[in-house]
Amino acid sequence: RSGQPDPAGARLLPQIAALGVAGVSDVRVGALYELSGRLNLSQAQSAASQLLADPVTQQFSLASGATWTSDGVGAHWRVEVWRKAAHDEPARESLRKAFTDLGLPAPERVRVGQVYKLLGRLSLAQAERVADKLLANRAVHDFTVAAC
């Protein structure tokens, strides 16, 4: 939640420094879900509030096809780490079942990931290094890095 400490992000700060990447003042960590299928906006909001986000510790937002681009030095970088399809099966099937248990249509496609906001002054190359060496395992994950 905004304004609350992020213990997972705080644990990453010394690991980022150990990579030799300076300039990161804070890290925020969150869950990502990509859903596609026959869900309307109201159903997607119900799923997010009842199933995908903890109302006490998390906030959710719904987005459709948002993209960010930058190639310079930014104040903040958004790293999205997604499980590759071959490694996503258990979570995908569990979520599909949970949707139907709530009386919602099961999404046709589900992807599960993590989002990391790297706050501070660092370059795209530094943010990519953090993603590649610390946040993602290329055998299991795909990742993107973009200014935000």
Side-chain angles (χ1 to χ4, degrees):
R1 246 186 209 280
S2 182
Q4 298 295 319
D6 186 335
R11 285 190 297 273
L12 288 169
L13 285 171
Q15 296 174 51
I16 292 169
L19 288 175
V21 175
V24 179
S25 58
D26 194 14
V27 179
R28 307 298 291 182
V29 181
L32 286 174
Y33 299 95
E34 181 181 72
L35 309 170
S36 60
R38 293 191 276 177
L39 289 169
N40 63 35
L41 180 59
S42 175
Q43 292 167 328
Q45 288 174 325
S46 291
S49 66
Q50 295 178 46
L51 178 64
L52 303 175
D54 178 337
V56 175
T57 62
Q58 297 175 320
Q59 294 173 300
F60 73 88
S61 62
L62 303 175
S64 176
T67 60
W68 296 268
T69 59
S70 177
D71 57 1
V73 173
H76 307 307
W77 294 93
R78 179 185 173 97
V79 178
E80 291 187 6
V81 178
W82 294 95
R83 293 182 67 82
K84 292 183 179 187
H87 301 281
D88 218 11
E89 189 66 30
R92 180 174 45 245
E93 291 311 311
S94 176
L95 281 172
R96 288 175 55 84
K97 181 173 180 340
F99 271 71
T100 59
D101 289 348
L102 287 175
L104 300 170
E108 293 167 13
R109 181 171 182 229
V110 176
R111 283 199 323 159
V112 177
Q114 290 284 114
V115 62
Y116 302 86
K117 269 196 180 175
L118 306 176
L119 308 177
R121 299 279 302 164
L122 62 159
S123 68
L124 173 59
Q126 289 173 307
E128 287 175 337
R129 178 172 166 76
V130 171
D132 187 43
K133 301 294 183 190
L134 185 61
L135 304 179
N137 173 346
R138 285 189 185 262
V140 179
H141 302 108
D142 292 316
F143 69 86
T144 60
V145 179
C148 62

